[in-house]
Amino acid sequence: MNTNTTRPFRAHNLALCLILFVSNAWAFYIPGYSVTRYNDDQSIPLLVNKIFSDHTQLQYAYFDLPFVCPPSGRTHGGSPFGSGQSISLNLGEVLRGDRIMTSDFELVMGKDVECRSLCTAQVSRSDVKWARQLIKENYVIEWIVDNLPGATSFVTVDRSRKYYASGFKLGYRDISPATGQSRYFINNHFTIVIRWRSAPEGGKVIVGFEVYPKSISADDRKEDGCPKAVHKDQEGLGLYIAPNMSRLREKYGGLSYIPEDDDDDDGATLEIPYTYSVYFREETKVEWTNRWDLYFTNQGEGSMTHWLAIINSLTISTVLGVTVFVIWSRTVQGDIKGRGDGAMEDRKLKVQSRRKRSGEKKSEGLLDNADVEHDADMSSDDEPFEDTSGWKLLHGDVFRVPAYSGLLAPLVGSGMQLLFMATGLLVLSCLGILNPSFRGGFVSVGMGLFVFAGVFSGYFSGRLYKTFGGSGWRKNTLITALLFPGLTFCLVLILNLFVWAQASSTAIPFGTLIGLLALWLLIQVPLVYIGSWVGYVRAKPWEHPLKTNAIPRQIPPLPWYLRSPAGPLLTGLIPFAVLFIELLFVFKNLWQDKSGYYYVFGFLSVVSVVLLVTVVEVTVIATYSQLCSENYHWWWQSFLTGGSSAFWIFAYCIWYYMFKLHITGFVSTLLFFSYSFLACAVYGLLTGTVGFLAAYTFVRRVYSAIKVD
């Protein structure tokens, strides 16, 4: 059978298998590694975490809020830990701003509680003002029971399905019908619904955790602090303390305008009584293994859009693949086989024949000055390539060491490190190992993969540096180990100073920063050194099929798109078009639905693979066009072409910020653009490395077919 006909058939089968894998893997996950079963009358711990909002990047630990019930320190349900005890967190949880602690809520399996008082908080004017600001910015609270976040329950428009949104509102605001001004109410009663089902092995498992918050006035309450009518509509508890007019007149003197919202503490407080109800309801329609599905309902509804993204990506990649195939089969191989080598051999025979005749003429004394000059021209190095394509004329310069090669090698090494990390994360996510029940697992595992991949970073950087003819490999190792991680650490440290000033849980604790620094300097740097030693000392440099001339060839005038940065930027639009639709889901999850979980990694993996293939195709086409223009400075150009789509992604971040997000405040804006820049830098390094390696492989393969004496 002809191999040329079997290749498309195999590619077709591979594409079908990939699509079948995605259709089964897009929502697959392992919901947990151990099932917790509860017996009747067994205590269930309720953990409090943080508050967050889609209007800001600042998060706050729940117990850091001055207007909630502080932990009493008492133990509940036989637990050895009192309320307010911090739960040990992994690195990912700390970096994402989690601050999980035990609480004073008492939950006992199977026992409903109509109402129970938690505490009565005394809130000052300044704390009331902060609570109003948090409610204005739509902050929501996150609690945890059995590793499930407390959820707000919603029903689809046709009432056929229920779905969850993680977290519940801190409070709400409305407009006063009398004054037309905004009024703020805090939710001070929580109806907790625990949904359970019987486990085949015995006991009960929790399959749902719902919280229904409510604001109830402090008036008309029982002696135990509970409202007399908990579940009836009542007037809410407004966040308002009447101004002390005598103090304000004294403070502002004879001013005609006296601000009534002055938050200077004068001893006045607002009492906020907190209560809660607990109800246990059996749920037979939800299996324990599928209990996270309710959090993914909205993402599942967008599956058609994901398929459109894949079709769009495959269409673009296929068109580019055909172009690369034409370049390779007809222009390159056809030129070499059809007339390249033959033309070269014919020209060499003509040169030898002419030289022979010239020698005969010289011996007879018949050679004039014109013949001598003509023969000298024919004996030049470029003489065998006079009638060949432009890219062949670069045989003596195409592998010339690029400028700033000492920077290119570390960048390629860092890109390989990031490529290994991203591949590992996508594979583990598609296998279901990284899932929402593994809180912070994505960041923790990603950090571990990045540190371990320092070996690959050092190896590729060292070997490429040796190929460039570098001699200071230890200096190259140091640059590789410190360049990208060092810039990232400095950026995070500077951002942390701003977040620390806001007393936000988003700030990385000082101990964690020291741990990250130790992880970088004591583990990653030695791994980079080992990899660099193997790549530079033990491994051989990559061999080039042609030798480089001593004198560089003069480059003719180039088109505008080859001599300006506009060329690589324009080529970056094509990979961006491949990724654009999937970016809508990623951005919506990261910046808008912070309470949600992105978990369609099967689709994202396919789009990522197609993206890398597209980057390879675009870089090969751009490199070939550059070589045909007799420009041998393709090294940096291929790297920039591969990573140029990062520019368009950052431009998309700016557009998304202006038209889709509601972020307010300088610090939140700074965090958004800093995180976006860092993500685009990671993406640019990764795709730039892929583009560089693709161009390097293409150039070596093409010029290996040329034989030069």
Side-chain angles (χ1 to χ4, degrees):
M1 181 180 293
N2 190 354
T3 57
N4 293 330
T5 60
T6 59
R7 287 176 182 174
F9 180 74
R10 293 174 181 173
H12 182 263
N13 287 343
L14 180 61
L16 287 178
C17 293
L18 190 61
I19 292 175
L20 289 175
F21 169 75
V22 172
S23 63
N24 290 284
W26 71 272
F28 173 75
Y29 62 92
I30 301 174
Y33 304 105
S34 62
V35 182
T36 303
R37 302 177 183 85
Y38 297 92
N39 298 319
D40 288 335
D41 299 331
Q42 183 177 350
S43 178
I44 303 174
L46 188 151
L47 309 176
V48 297
N49 188 8
K50 62 186 177 183
I51 63 171
F52 56 89
S53 169
D54 61 352
H55 286 243
T56 175
Q57 304 306 311
L58 299 176
Q59 305 173 110
Y60 300 95
Y62 181 77
F63 277 147
D64 287 346
L65 304 177
F67 47 82
V68 303
C69 289
S72 64
R74 299 192 305 267
T75 58
H76 302 280
S79 172
F81 304 107
S83 63
Q85 177 71 33
S86 296
I87 303 299
S88 59
L89 306 175
N90 58 46
L91 179 60
E93 290 176 308
V94 175
L95 294 180
R96 67 194 295 263
D98 287 351
R99 301 295 184 267
I100 304 176
M101 297 183 179
T102 57
S103 71
D104 284 303
F105 290 91
E106 298 184 33
L107 280 62
V108 180
M109 175 59 77
K111 285 190 176 182
D112 293 347
V113 177
E114 183 178 359
C115 181
R116 179 174 294 163
S117 177
L118 190 63
C119 82
T120 299
Q122 302 288 333
V123 186
S124 65
R125 289 185 186 274
S126 58
D127 296 337
V128 166
K129 183 177 181 180
W130 190 32
R132 291 159 63 99
Q133 181 64 29
L134 293 177
I135 293 173
K136 182 180 180 181
E137 294 175 351
N138 293 330
Y139 270 87
V140 297
I141 304 172
E142 182 179 292
W143 292 346
I144 302 171
V145 166
D146 194 37
N147 207 29
L148 283 177
T152 301
S153 178
F154 296 95
V155 180
T156 55
V157 177
D158 58 0
R159 296 187 176 275
S160 61
R161 286 178 298 167
K162 181 174 70 172
Y163 63 93
Y164 286 162
S166 179
F168 55 93
K169 287 189 175 182
L170 178 65
Y172 65 94
R173 67 172 177 169
D174 64 7
I175 304 299
S176 172
T179 62
Q181 296 180 348
S182 296
R183 299 185 301 178
Y184 296 86
F185 299 88
I186 190 167
N187 292 321
N188 60 331
H189 180 83
F190 312 102
T191 300
I192 300 171
V193 179
I194 304 295
R195 301 195 177 275
W196 60 273
R197 67 173 299 148
S198 299
E201 300 83 1
K204 300 176 180 178
V205 293
I206 297 176
V207 296
F209 173 32
E210 303 169 5
V211 181
Y212 300 90
K214 188 177 183 180
S215 181
I216 302 178
S217 172
D219 302 329
D220 197 20
R221 289 180 174 261
K222 301 177 183 178
E223 294 182 358
D224 59 358
C226 287
K228 292 182 178 180
V230 177
H231 302 295
K232 293 183 179 180
D233 293 336
Q234 300 184 34
E235 183 181 354
L237 178 61
L239 288 172
Y240 178 76
I241 300 178
N244 188 336
M245 298 305 297
S246 61
R247 185 189 64 85
L248 292 177
R249 292 191 187 97
E250 180 181 352
K251 179 179 179 180
Y252 291 97
L255 294 179
S256 58
Y257 171 73
I258 300 178
E260 297 184 0
D261 59 347
D262 189 291
D263 61 346
D264 285 350
D265 289 336
D266 58 352
T269 59
L270 174 67
E271 291 188 352
I272 304 179
Y274 282 94
T275 55
Y276 64 97
S277 304
V278 183
Y279 296 96
F280 290 86
R281 295 293 180 263
E282 185 176 8
E283 178 63 68
T284 58
K285 296 181 180 179
V286 180
E287 297 284 346
W288 185 88
T289 54
N290 300 324
R291 64 179 186 165
W292 283 92
D293 287 357
L294 293 175
Y295 295 90
F296 305 145
T297 301
N298 284 343
Q299 295 181 12
E301 292 175 350
S303 59
M304 182 58 67
T305 309
H306 286 289
W307 284 113
L308 291 177
I310 291 178
I311 294 174
N312 169 71
S313 305
L314 289 175
T315 302
I316 296 175
S317 181
T318 302
V319 172
L320 293 175
V322 171
T323 305
V324 173
F325 178 77
V326 169
I327 289 176
W328 180 255
S329 63
R330 296 185 179 180
T331 308
V332 179
Q333 289 186 337
D335 206 12
I336 293 175
K337 295 180 180 179
R339 71 182 186 90
D341 291 346
M344 295 175 199
E345 296 299 330
D346 291 342
R347 300 294 295 179
K348 291 178 182 179
L349 291 176
K350 291 179 181 179
V351 170
Q352 294 175 0
S353 176
R354 186 177 296 274
R355 287 175 177 174
K356 184 176 181 181
R357 292 197 303 270
S358 298
E360 293 175 353
K361 291 181 180 180
K362 185 175 182 180
S363 62
E364 297 175 1
L366 301 177
L367 189 64
D368 57 12
N369 293 334
D371 291 333
V372 172
E373 293 178 358
H374 184 68
D375 289 341
D377 292 338
M378 291 299 295
S379 62
S380 63
D381 290 339
D382 291 338
E383 191 262 339
F385 299 97
E386 286 181 353
D387 297 330
T388 58
S389 301
W391 64 269
K392 294 180 182 178
L393 300 177
L394 303 178
H395 67 92
D397 295 276
V398 69
F399 294 108
R400 187 175 301 280
V401 176
Y404 306 106
S405 59
L407 178 61
L408 181 59
L411 290 178
V412 172
S414 299
M416 290 301 299
Q417 186 176 10
L418 294 171
L419 180 62
F420 177 84
M421 180 193 71
T423 303
L425 286 176
L426 285 177
V427 170
L428 293 176
S429 299
C430 290
L431 295 177
I433 297 175
L434 300 180
N435 56 79
S437 65
F438 184 11
R439 301 180 61 87
F442 195 85
V443 178
S444 298
V445 174
M447 188 69 67
L449 290 175
F450 179 81
V451 171
F452 173 76
V455 175
F456 299 95
S457 174
Y459 175 81
F460 281 92
S461 176
R463 192 169 184 185
L464 184 61
Y465 183 73
K466 187 175 183 179
T467 303
F468 288 153
S471 57
W473 71 275
R474 289 184 175 85
K475 178 182 177 182
N476 177 75
T477 302
L478 191 63
I479 296 176
T480 305
L482 301 182
L483 180 62
F484 177 75
L487 294 177
T488 302
F489 185 83
C490 291
L491 177 62
V492 171
L493 184 60
I494 294 173
L495 293 177
N496 230 34
L497 297 178
F498 290 93
V499 181
W500 267 335
Q502 301 293 322
S504 170
S505 66
T506 309
I508 303 175
F510 181 76
T512 304
L513 283 175
I514 298 300
L516 290 174
L517 189 64
L519 193 67
W520 169 31
L521 298 179
L522 301 182
I523 299 180
Q524 193 224 2
V525 171
L527 289 177
V528 173
Y529 183 88
I530 294 174
S532 183
W533 180 81
V534 174
Y536 187 90
V537 177
R538 304 293 296 178
K540 296 181 179 179
W542 284 301
E543 296 181 358
H544 296 153
L546 298 174
K547 295 182 179 180
T548 302
N549 293 336
I551 302 176
R553 177 186 178 86
Q554 185 177 1
I555 301 175
L558 300 174
W560 65 270
Y561 54 84
L562 290 179
R563 65 174 183 267
S564 67
L569 290 181
L570 291 177
T571 57
L573 281 171
I574 300 176
F576 175 73
V578 170
L579 196 61
F580 173 73
I581 298 179
E582 197 64 31
L583 276 180
L584 293 174
F585 291 91
V586 176
F587 275 49
K588 187 175 185 298
N589 174 258
L590 290 178
W591 302 119
Q592 290 183 287
D593 299 339
K594 295 180 184 178
S595 60
Y597 298 92
Y598 184 88
Y599 230 71
V600 284
F601 285 103
F603 286 123
L604 182 61
S605 300
V606 174
V607 174
S608 299
V609 171
V610 178
L611 170 68
L612 295 182
V613 173
T614 304
V615 169
V616 170
E617 295 168 342
V618 168
T619 309
V620 167
I621 295 173
T623 302
Y624 180 73
S625 300
Q626 185 177 6
L627 295 178
C628 287
S629 300
E630 301 182 27
N631 180 12
Y632 54 83
H633 296 305
W634 59 271
W635 302 86
W636 278 105
Q637 197 79 357
S638 62
F639 186 87
L640 296 176
T641 299
S644 58
S645 53
F647 171 82
W648 300 106
I649 295 178
F650 189 75
Y652 178 73
C653 292
I654 298 175
W655 175 87
Y656 201 85
Y657 172 83
M658 297 176 61
F659 297 101
K660 293 293 184 180
L661 297 181
H662 310 286
I663 293 179
T664 57
F666 170 76
V667 176
S668 295
T669 301
L670 179 65
L671 289 176
F672 172 81
F673 283 108
S674 299
Y675 290 157
S676 299
F677 175 79
L678 183 60
C680 291
V682 169
Y683 170 87
L685 273 177
L686 192 154
T687 54
T689 299
V690 171
F692 170 81
L693 294 178
Y696 189 34
T697 304
F698 172 77
V699 171
R700 290 181 62 195
R701 180 65 183 87
V702 167
Y703 283 91
S704 64
I706 297 180
K707 298 179 180 179
V708 180
D709 295 336

